[in-house]
Amino acid sequence: MGTAALILVVDDDPVMREITRVHLEGAGYEVALATSAAEGLQKARGLRPSLVIMDFAMPGGSGTEALRALRTDDEIGNTPVLMVTAWSFEESQSGTSGLAATWLQKPVMGEQMIQSVRDLLPA
């Protein structure tokens, strides 16, 4: 069996980061954490994760801004991104059509997130 896929979780909420980490590690994934959009971009460039799970709304730079910056990066621009939001989908997805692989509404249930991750990562 190969190495577990690395997933980068970018969320300013420490409780959400920890819940997400626990679910992902329980499903056999490696997890890296970032607390802001800027840190998430920096870690994505350095770690080159298989997938990024990013919160939509964060202080000091939104997930949308980070998503747009990620998409313009030649090295990591094709990394799948699963966006999570507590906002309505209409508000969240405005102006980001086609940039995120998928969106989930908070609170995200563990099984729902793991299934979305499996759908986005090659077997």
Side-chain angles (χ1 to χ4, degrees):
M1 180 175 246
T3 304
L6 174 64
I7 300 174
L8 174 61
V9 177
V10 185
D11 198 317
D12 62 307
D13 182 329
V15 173
M16 289 306 301
R17 276 194 318 272
E18 183 63 13
I19 290 170
T20 304
R21 181 190 66 74
V22 167
H23 285 297
L24 292 170
E25 288 179 348
Y29 296 103
E30 290 186 38
V31 179
L33 303 173
T35 62
S36 68
E39 181 185 10
L41 274 174
Q42 179 184 16
K43 285 193 173 184
R45 289 179 179 127
L47 298 172
R48 297 192 181 181
S50 300
L51 174 77
V52 175
I53 298 176
M54 188 172 312
D55 186 20
F56 170 73
M58 293 180 279
S62 73
T64 302
E65 292 165 354
L67 178 58
R68 285 191 182 112
L70 187 133
R71 289 292 173 245
T72 63
D73 189 296
D74 291 338
E75 300 293 323
I76 57 171
N78 291 324
T79 304
V81 177
L82 191 162
M83 295 291 285
V84 292
T85 184
W87 295 29
S88 74
F89 280 135
E90 293 77 23
E91 290 175 295
S92 302
Q93 293 176 333
S94 176
T96 62
S97 179
L99 294 178
T102 194
W103 288 78
L104 292 177
Q105 186 80 36
K106 285 183 178 181
V108 178
M109 303 307 289
E111 302 85 30
Q112 179 188 25
M113 179 183 37
I114 296 303
Q115 187 58 55
S116 294
V117 167
R118 288 182 179 142
D119 290 346
L120 293 170
L121 292 178

